Amino acid sequence: MAKVIIAAGSNLGNRRQNIRQGLRLMNKSGVKIIKNSSYFKNPPAEETAGGEFLNAAVLAETNLEPEPLLALLHEIEKNSGRPQPHKPRKARCLDLDIIYYGNRVIEKPDLKIPHPRRLQRRFVMEPAAEAAPDFRDPILKKTLENISRKNMATVKKSTDLRERLNAVRKSGRKIGFVPTMGAIHEGHLALIRACRKAKLFCVISIFVNPTQFGPAEDYRKYPRNLEKDAKLAEKAGAGLIFAPGVKEMYPAGLQTSVKPAEWFSEELCGKYRPDHYRGVATVVLKLFNLVQPDKAYFGWKDAQQLIMIKMMARDLNFPIEIIGVPTVREPDGLAMSSRNIYLSPAERKAAPALYHTLLQIKNDCEKHKKSLKKTLKKASVCLKKNPFIKLQYLEAVDLSTLENAGKGIRLFPKDETLVAIAAFLGSTRLIDNIFVKM
Ligand code: AMP
């Protein structure tokens, strides 16, 4: 038996019924369907007449050789009311194409397999990849999932996001989610890669969320470059980008929000960015509702944010596993951040001192068994002498508060505490942190 992939499309009459009927006839005529894709809506290709298409694909098994299989598909098309031979640009009740026949490559005047125009047609490859993600294209030697990702979509509307994700879910795949504000760098890409490594369909959101910026902060000048971001995300394995505008996310401003516990705004960044975590919690909750992922990925670089999200997911009963990914750094130790581009050359040169200070603290406490409190104090005094660095805080998180609030979730590796730092270099605020074994 050969494994085949057949694409179906219709833009005339009852489109869904036409496709269903065609596939049913195929199934009865010796082409056993193993897996159906969902139905995708697409605008008509090239100058094809008629309205929007509905497209689907199936993975099937058959004993029919390619030519009799093609003849059968033509017969079924004819049955559905499509005249044979085809008139190429006409609207059609049913179009059935052989896209792949096992790993055979056939080059005959009236039969070319794999389908020669498959790669230009997202309306073919997207459903084909859903029906048979691991099927290999015999020419490109890549899986359909890999090929289809090259056509990754960017959607801006929540309705489009839902529609696409419903199709992904129907195909039985689990969804992983990476929320970002864009200006994608290796840190963000590490989250996408972790998601893909877990074999999840990866959705990334790119949204510079106004409600998490204070009035004097950098909302307006925050770097935005969707096209470049999309390319990077796609290369790392993202399957879908959600890039809504502010109106899409907050059509009526912010009437309802999520506020983390009071003590949260008394710790680390919370003290200095009064409404920041409320803005983050609210937007992440909204994104969780829209994407409904199985797992969501956040960087340890923003440790307080990660802890807050873990608590929120627990407190508000989100059935989402929150995964922390280690901080990705520049070769000189500076934690990657979208804000690093604001640094002047002199500030950039000074910036790795934040991480080196954290490393020194870790070393003093773990190797030389010095007291954490004294080490922190000494490091603060030392940093304050650096003319480029205006220290905001250098603290260990209050484990006693966290232990209480963290019931039922693993916040840190065992026996470790988090030492966090925030500092201004010029007008750029940078943060970083490290785990210290106590
Ligand atoms: P942002 O776009 O800055 O809101 O960040 C989006 C996500 O990427 C958050 O979960 C961050 O913690 C994570 N992230 C940012 N920088 C890094 C980094 N250097 N290493 C790992 N994750 C990061």
Side-chain angles (χ1 to χ4, degrees), residues 278-296:
R278 178 172 166 177
V280 174
T282 305
V283 80
V284 171
L285 173 129
K286 284 161 73 66
L287 290 166
F288 278 1
N289 279 332
L290 288 165
V291 176
Q292 301 187 8
D294 297 281
K295 296 186 184 190

Side-chain angles (χ1 to χ4, degrees), residues 178-182 185-188 190-191 212 222 297-302 305 325-329 335-339:
V178 175
T180 80
M181 296 206 298
H185 52 67
E186 278 300 320
H188 300 118
L191 307 187
Q212 72 187 67
Y222 200 84
Y297 293 79
F298 293 84
W300 266 112
K301 193 209 144 240
D302 300 278
Q305 167 176 287
V325 175
T327 302
V328 178
R329 300 177 179 283
M336 292 208 178
S337 161
S338 308
R339 291 186 166 103

Side-chain angles (χ1 to χ4, degrees), residues 241-282:
I241 293 189
F242 179 48
V246 174
K247 283 220 172 94
E248 182 69 17
M249 288 302 280
Y250 300 109
L254 191 65
Q255 307 298 331
T256 309
S257 62
V258 189
K259 195 167 181 302
E262 207 55 58
W263 64 264
F264 210 81
S265 53
E266 288 153 16
E267 294 285 331
L268 307 179
C269 293
K271 259 188 283 188
Y272 303 93
R273 305 186 75 189
D275 264 340
H276 173 69
Y277 286 111
R278 178 172 166 177
V280 174
T282 305

Side-chain angles (χ1 to χ4, degrees), residues 27-83:
N27 211 19
K28 275 192 192 159
S29 317
V31 187
K32 189 170 167 278
I33 294 177
I34 303 170
K35 185 128 192 246
N36 285 287
S37 76
S38 32
Y39 291 83
F40 290 75
K41 289 179 190 162
N42 288 295
E46 296 139 22
E47 298 89 25
T48 308
E52 185 185 61
F53 266 83
L54 211 57
N55 295 96
V58 292
L59 170 68
E61 272 180 343
T62 186
N63 279 324
L64 292 175
E65 281 295 302
E67 277 89 352
L69 174 61
L70 185 65
L72 171 70
L73 299 187
H74 285 164
E75 193 55 35
I76 295 173
E77 286 177 345
K78 198 165 141 195
N79 249 313
S80 79
R82 187 175 183 194

